[in-house]
């Protein structure tokens, strides 16, 4: 294979000290660096502003008003700050002629190969593949909700809807590169604004029309409240979580300087509008009766509390965005599969590369769909992913990478701010992981493979 520039095109020299290096098939075919900062904003928004935000009112039931809003604000500030630090570290290495395209590449460069191979790599895979499973499950649940509204006595089971959603994912998984998703992710951005507006409007309507008193008290004894608080932290961490910042920045055409910040501004403008409106309106309307997904509160005993067409429309918007979110989080897996099975000496769309691509990606989607159908407990999956994956990847590692790369003075504010974030969120991550495992243990009594929940 001929020498290819670090961003997959002949643009060597756009970085001051850039050196040419050969790319593996995963970087060359999946992580193509052709996008603008606007495309980056679309990718970021799809990866963060996703249907799990509909569980924020449920997180508030463990926190109450004060702690709930505070955690939401802190989550926004810390993740925006952390993602920007991660971007600065990536830009720094790019200027030195070593543009890193993957999270594990960063870990390998900064922490060493063992950390990359045995910690960061596996955690990122768990987060991303777990997100694909969660999206597939949620897609099936939304499809079932629409079906039951139209046919309350219908006999189609949840796992059948999950399989239908998985069939759609089989098609989308074949989209060749991350950059190819830019138009889909623009539509995804519009859809997340649409269903968030619907969820907010529905909550306000039901809250105003309901005659039942609203109860905002925290349920359970002290132990339940403590573990509930930790569970809520994990949910919020998952909602703000990304886990693929380096891969998204890899899609930007060189030079990358400053483009990621512009993309983050687009993303967090949408985050502010959607997260806070859904969380506050949902908790205000339903109090501590808010369910794992706020849309579930819109239907009681099979009867919608808002017009049926409104429930159908909201679920439809949600379903339409979910494949985009799932296929974004499938990209790191696709990159690994491409690197393993593709041959850079053959063209991207040659038979030699297309056949292994279709087979490997299809098997990946079939496995994730099977897991989603077998374990249909979205809330527990959400908490586990947040505690074990998003917390270290998005709250802890970025500040550690920054401090190790730029070595700020130990007397400086930024050093102690980063150190404080790392320590506090490490402790919260451990506690949230314990709480998530405890919740799974408690719910194990109701677990049943392929349950029709």
């Amino acid at each position: 294979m001929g020498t290819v520039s670090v961003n997959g095109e002949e643009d060597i020299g756009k970085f001051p000290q850039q050196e040419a290096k050969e790319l593996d098939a995963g970087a060359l075919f999946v992580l193509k660096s052709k996008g603008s900062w606007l495309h980056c904003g679309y990718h970021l928004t799809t990866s963060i502003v996703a249907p799990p935000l509909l569980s924020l009112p449920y997180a508030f039931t463990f926190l109450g008003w004060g702690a709930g809003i505070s955690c939401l604000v802190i989550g926004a500030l810390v993740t925006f700050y952390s993602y920007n630090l991660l971007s600065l570290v990536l830009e720094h290495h790019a200027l030195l002629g070593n543009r890193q395209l993957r999270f594990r590449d960063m870990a390998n460069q900064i922490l060493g190969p063992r950390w990359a191979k045995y910690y960061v790599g596996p955690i990122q895979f768990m987060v991303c593949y777990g997100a694909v499973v969660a999206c597939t499950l949620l897609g099936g649940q939304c499809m079932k909700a629409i079906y039951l509204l139209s046919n309350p006595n219908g006999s189609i089971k949840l796992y059948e809807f999950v399989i239908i959603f998985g069939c759609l994912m089989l098609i989308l998984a074949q989209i060749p590169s991350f950059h190819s998703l830019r138009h889909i992710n623009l539509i995804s951005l519009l859809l997340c604004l649409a269903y968030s507006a619907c969820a907010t409007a529905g909550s306000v309507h039901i809250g105003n029309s309901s005659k039942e008193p609203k109860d905002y008290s925290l349920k359970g004894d002290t132990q339940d409240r403590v573990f509930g608080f930790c569970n809520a932290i994990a949910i919020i961490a998952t909602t703000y979580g990304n886990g693929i910042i380096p891969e998204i920045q890899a899609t930007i055409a060189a030079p990358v300087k400053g483009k990621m910040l512009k993309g983050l501004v687009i993303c967090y403008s949408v985050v502010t509008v959607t997260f806070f409106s859904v969380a506050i309106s949902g908790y205000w309307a339903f109090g501590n009766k808010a369910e794992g997904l706020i849309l579930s509160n819109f239907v009681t005993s099979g009867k919608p509390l808002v017009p049926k067409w409104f429930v159908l429309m909201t679920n439809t918007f949600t379903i339409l965005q979910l494949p985009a979110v799932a296929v974004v989080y499938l990209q790191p897996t696709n990159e690994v599969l491409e690197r393993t099975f593709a041959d850079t000496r053959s063209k991207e769309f040659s038979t030699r590369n297309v056949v292994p691509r279709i087979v490997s990606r299809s098997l990946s989607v079939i496995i994730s769909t099977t897991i989603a159908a077998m374990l249909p407990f979205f809330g527990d999956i959400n908490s586990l992913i947040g505690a074990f994956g998003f917390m270290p990847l998005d709250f802890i590692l970025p500040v550690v990478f920054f401090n190790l790369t730029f070595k700020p003075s130990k007397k400086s504010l930024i050093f102690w701010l980063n150190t404080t974030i790392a320590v506090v969120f490490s402790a919260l991550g451990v506690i949230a992981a314990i709480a998530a495992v405890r919740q799974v243990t408690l719910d194990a009594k109701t677990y049943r493979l392929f349950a029709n929940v």
Side-chain angles (χ1 to χ4, degrees):
M1 183 186 74
T3 302
V4 182
S5 71
V6 291
N7 77 328
E9 298 180 335
E10 299 300 329
D11 56 11
I12 299 166
K14 289 186 180 180
F15 295 113
Q17 303 176 37
Q18 190 91 359
E19 295 178 2
K21 69 175 182 179
E22 291 190 348
L23 296 178
D24 57 58
L28 185 63
F29 296 150
V30 178
L31 301 178
K32 294 179 180 178
S33 303
K34 294 183 176 181
S36 67
W37 64 269
L38 204 55
H39 299 148
C40 171
Y42 302 158
H43 298 324
L44 285 166
T45 303
T46 297
S47 64
I48 298 175
V49 190
L53 72 89
L54 299 173
S55 63
L56 287 174
Y58 175 68
F60 272 43
T61 65
F62 299 109
L63 299 169
W65 279 116
I69 293 176
S70 297
C71 288
L72 213 55
V73 171
I74 291 170
L77 293 176
V78 172
T79 51
F80 183 89
Y81 175 72
S82 296
Y83 296 155
N84 190 47
L85 290 188
L86 211 55
S87 175
L88 292 174
V89 173
L90 288 164
E91 288 181 10
H92 173 76
H93 286 286
L95 288 170
L96 296 177
N98 184 26
R99 187 175 182 188
Q100 297 161 340
L101 304 178
R102 292 164 282 223
F103 220 127
R104 63 181 178 277
D105 292 343
M106 293 188 73
N108 185 70
Q109 176 81 17
I110 300 169
L111 300 178
R114 288 190 177 182
W115 280 94
K117 185 176 181 180
Y118 298 110
Y119 181 69
V120 175
I123 282 182
Q124 188 193 31
F125 176 80
M126 178 192 74
V127 163
C128 294
Y129 203 67
V132 175
V133 172
C135 287
T136 305
L137 172 56
L138 186 53
Q141 289 177 334
C142 290
M143 292 172 71
K144 182 185 175 186
I146 290 176
Y147 171 70
L148 291 178
L149 276 175
S150 306
N151 186 9
N153 298 316
S155 59
I156 301 179
K157 304 291 191 292
L158 174 60
Y159 69 84
E160 295 175 275
F161 287 111
V162 170
I163 292 170
I164 293 170
F165 188 90
C167 291
L168 173 61
M169 282 300 302
L170 275 175
I171 299 170
L172 291 178
Q174 309 308 327
I175 294 175
S177 69
F178 207 151
H179 179 64
S180 303
L181 300 175
R182 61 195 182 282
H183 302 304
I184 291 175
N185 288 341
L186 170 59
I187 297 171
S188 167
L189 186 155
L190 299 175
L191 286 169
C192 72
L193 288 171
Y195 67 69
S196 296
C198 289
T200 301
S203 296
V204 171
H205 173 78
I206 296 170
N208 281 328
S209 59
S210 175
K211 296 180 181 178
E212 291 186 19
K214 300 176 179 67
D215 185 2
Y216 301 112
S217 62
L218 303 181
K219 296 182 289 185
D221 56 23
T222 303
Q223 184 185 44
D224 289 335
R225 291 184 183 183
V226 170
F227 280 108
F229 175 84
C230 298
N231 206 27
I233 294 296
I235 291 172
I236 291 174
T238 303
T239 309
Y240 278 111
N242 180 282
I244 51 174
I245 290 292
E247 286 78 3
I248 290 176
Q249 187 152 327
T251 67
I252 302 175
V256 298
K257 186 172 179 60
K259 293 179 181 177
M260 193 68 167
L261 179 59
K262 293 179 181 178
L264 282 169
V265 169
I266 291 177
C267 174
Y268 274 78
S269 298
V270 179
V271 164
T272 303
V273 171
T274 56
F275 282 32
F276 286 85
S277 61
V278 171
I280 292 171
S281 64
Y283 187 57
W284 170 79
F286 304 105
N288 58 22
K289 294 181 180 178
E291 297 191 28
L293 282 173
I294 197 63
L295 301 185
S296 301
N297 287 99
F298 289 10
V299 180
T300 302
S301 302
K303 296 181 180 180
L305 302 178
V306 291
K308 184 183 289 188
W309 63 265
F310 186 85
V311 178
L312 292 172
M313 180 177 68
T314 307
N315 276 282
T316 300
F317 288 149
T318 306
I319 291 171
L320 289 174
Q321 196 214 11
L322 279 166
V325 178
V327 80
V328 161
Y329 278 103
L330 202 57
Q331 294 310 301
T333 303
N334 290 346
E335 183 270 321
V336 171
L337 293 173
E338 203 84 1
R339 180 162 47 90
T340 304
F341 298 112
D343 184 358
T344 57
R345 292 169 296 183
S346 301
K347 292 183 178 180
E348 179 180 1
F349 297 107
S350 65
T351 303
R352 164 63 184 82
N353 286 331
V354 168
V355 172
R357 181 181 303 138
I358 292 175
V359 172
S360 61
R361 293 186 183 192
S362 297
L363 284 173
S364 172
V365 170
I366 289 169
I367 292 169
S368 65
T369 302
T370 303
I371 295 171
M374 288 175 63
L375 304 171
F377 301 94
F378 180 73
D380 291 340
I381 291 176
N382 230 11
S383 299
L384 284 171
I385 292 173
F388 285 100
F390 284 122
M391 199 76 84
L393 287 180
D394 297 327
F395 292 83
I396 301 167
L397 285 176
V399 295
V400 172
F401 284 173
F402 184 90
N403 277 5
L404 291 176
T405 299
F406 292 102
K407 297 180 174 57
S409 168
K410 292 184 178 179
K411 297 179 181 179
S412 65
L413 175 62
I414 194 168
F415 174 85
W416 286 107
L417 175 61
N418 291 350
T419 303
T420 301
I421 289 173
V423 171
V424 169
F425 282 94
S426 293
L428 286 175
V430 171
I431 297 170
I434 295 171
V437 171
R438 174 181 178 269
Q439 192 62 44
V440 169
T441 304
L442 292 175
D443 291 343
K445 299 173 185 178
T446 61
Y447 278 10
R448 184 167 56 84
L449 294 181
F450 299 100
N452 186 35
V453 295

